[in-house]
Amino acid sequence: MTTHDTTPLTIGIIGDGFMQPALFRKALEARLGDREITFREMELDWPLHVKSTKVDPDLPVGEFVGRPEDYFDFLSDLDVLVTHLAPITAHSMDHAPALKLIAVSRGGPVNIEMPAARDRGLSVVNTPGRNASAVAEFTVGSLLAETRNLIRGHLAVKSGSFNRDYYHYDNAGPELGELTVGIVGYGDIGTRVARLLQPFGCEIVIYDPFKPLTPEETAAGFRKAELDALLAEADVVTLHPRVTPETIGMISRERIAAMKPGGYIVNTTRGQVLDYDALYDALVSGHLRGAALDTFTPEPPPADMPLLQLPNVTLSPHIAGASKLSAKKAATVIAEDIARFLAGDTPHNLCT
């Protein structure tokens, strides 16, 4: 569908090295047809030069790059703002008198001050599930890398040591098919992790108080359990809950101590859900055999963080969602919802 509204429109795009302005613009031009549009573009230095997104207790937004005032001039004459990481606060909105819609290419509008947007009648759309497939694949890859010594073997060969220690029975890892995998959080990512693991023959146990299993999932042998029961049974615990007051610190020292001895933890969600000091102690003591970690608190983790020095961890720099397809998907979803908004239709991913 092509919109036939001929009213001139100014769309501002604040992209970065992952969600590049050109991706958004290409998707918007394809979706909005011959609509007269003036594009204004800005590309942030994230992630190559700005290494982290911020959580600032003095601001009512999270996971952003820069300061709100860095973008005030850019916002001044926009009808629509498309962004990934710019912090948009009440003061930002006050500097954008013509703004009608904010489109943020995130799973949640964490960098948008939503109460201020509602107060001003501004619509906000986002892109839930944009990288669910990417994160699920990365989760399974991280699990394989940790349990089967892939990274340790790679580093040994690269350093000139054709290390056969990993062929010793005591150092050999399990096959996925013999593992019970506990999935904590069964949203878009958790459900995909379960489907990816199913062909390996894993037993799948799920903790999510809000998501019932489908008849197909039950028939496939998936089952639900309370969190403490899951931790006691699972050989692998993989974490996928959203960060909420209820999930911050949910995998605590007490719960790590109650995990099945010799188990593994995989974290590709956010560092806040896991007690990293307790994880370190469990890995050093041998209570847990290994961990695969893509996220930390804080980010980046300090170089002297003891956990980073352990041999039985597989580490990555918060890149689970970084696939080309997830970026293209986010741009396409954004363009579709902007088109719907401009046509007077309800966007698919309207934030409330």
Side-chain angles (χ1 to χ4, degrees):
M1 181 181 73
T2 300
T3 179
H4 298 291
D5 191 334
T6 59
T7 306
L9 189 69
T10 302
I11 298 179
I13 301 172
I14 305 176
D16 50 64
F18 179 61
M19 289 305 313
Q20 298 179 356
L23 292 173
F24 288 120
R25 182 167 183 164
K26 182 178 179 181
L28 286 163
E29 288 176 336
R31 185 62 183 83
L32 297 178
D34 57 1
R35 179 75 181 260
E36 184 181 345
I37 301 172
T38 298
F39 286 102
R40 296 183 61 196
E41 298 179 10
M42 176 187 294
E43 184 165 334
L44 308 182
D45 284 341
W46 187 89
L48 296 185
H49 298 104
V50 179
K51 298 300 184 182
S52 67
T53 51
K54 296 179 182 177
V55 176
D56 185 339
D58 294 328
L59 288 176
V61 292
E63 297 188 18
F64 56 86
V65 168
R67 301 289 301 178
E69 55 269 23
D70 297 338
Y71 309 101
F72 286 171
D73 289 344
F74 184 87
L75 298 173
S76 61
D77 62 348
L78 301 184
D79 298 296
V80 175
L81 170 66
V82 179
T83 185
H84 182 216
L85 292 171
I88 307 299
T89 64
H91 289 157
S92 306
M93 298 168 200
D94 291 342
H95 283 77
L99 193 62
K100 304 172 185 66
L101 175 68
I102 301 170
V104 56
S105 56
R106 306 286 290 278
V110 292
N111 52 319
I112 313 299
E113 189 176 349
M114 286 299 300
R118 287 190 288 266
D119 289 346
R120 290 159 175 77
L122 274 173
S123 296
V124 179
V125 297
N126 69 324
T127 56
R130 76 205 186 287
N131 61 7
S133 179
V135 176
E137 287 184 2
F138 195 95
T139 298
V140 175
S142 297
L143 173 56
L144 279 166
E146 174 55 34
T147 57
R148 299 299 302 278
N149 295 310
L150 294 182
I151 305 301
R152 289 182 280 276
H154 164 81
L155 292 174
V157 175
K158 193 174 180 66
S159 68
S161 171
F162 200 74
N163 195 328
R164 306 299 284 168
D165 291 352
Y166 301 119
Y167 220 112
H168 193 285
Y169 181 85
D170 290 343
N171 297 324
E175 295 184 18
L176 293 189
E178 62 181 301
L179 300 178
T180 296
V181 178
I183 299 175
V184 178
Y186 201 57
D188 288 335
I189 296 170
T191 55
R192 284 171 170 81
V193 170
R195 292 174 200 147
L196 289 174
L197 289 173
Q198 186 180 6
F200 287 98
C202 300
E203 185 169 354
I204 305 295
V205 185
I206 295 151
Y207 169 73
D208 191 313
F210 307 106
K211 181 76 176 290
L213 297 182
T214 66
E216 293 77 14
E217 289 167 335
T218 301
F222 300 179
R223 55 189 173 86
K224 295 191 72 174
E226 293 300 316
L227 180 57
D228 291 337
L230 178 151
L231 295 174
E233 177 185 3
D235 301 296
V236 175
V237 175
T238 180
L239 305 176
H240 305 287
R242 285 194 175 277
V243 175
T244 67
E246 293 74 27
T247 63
I248 291 174
M250 71 184 302
I251 308 301
S252 61
R253 180 173 293 276
E254 293 74 20
R255 282 184 163 144
I256 290 173
M259 285 180 62
K260 185 176 182 178
Y264 298 85
I265 285 181
V266 180
N267 189 13
T268 56
T269 182
R270 291 293 188 273
Q272 294 98 313
V273 305
L274 175 61
D275 185 332
Y276 279 74
D277 291 335
L279 175 62
Y280 171 83
D281 291 341
L283 290 167
V284 169
S285 71
H287 174 61
L288 295 183
R289 185 169 183 182
L293 308 171
D294 186 55
T295 58
F296 304 86
T297 298
E299 286 191 355
D304 60 353
M305 186 178 186
L307 185 64
L308 307 187
Q309 312 308 318
L310 294 181
N312 51 340
V313 292
T314 296
L315 307 170
S316 50
H318 201 155
I319 56 172
S323 74
K324 284 184 167 63
L325 180 59
S326 65
K328 293 176 182 176
K329 187 184 301 181
T332 300
V333 169
I334 287 286
E336 173 63 24
D337 267 354
I338 289 175
R340 291 183 63 84
F341 177 84
L342 294 174
D345 299 325
T346 302
H348 293 301
N349 301 294
L350 188 64
C351 302
T352 57

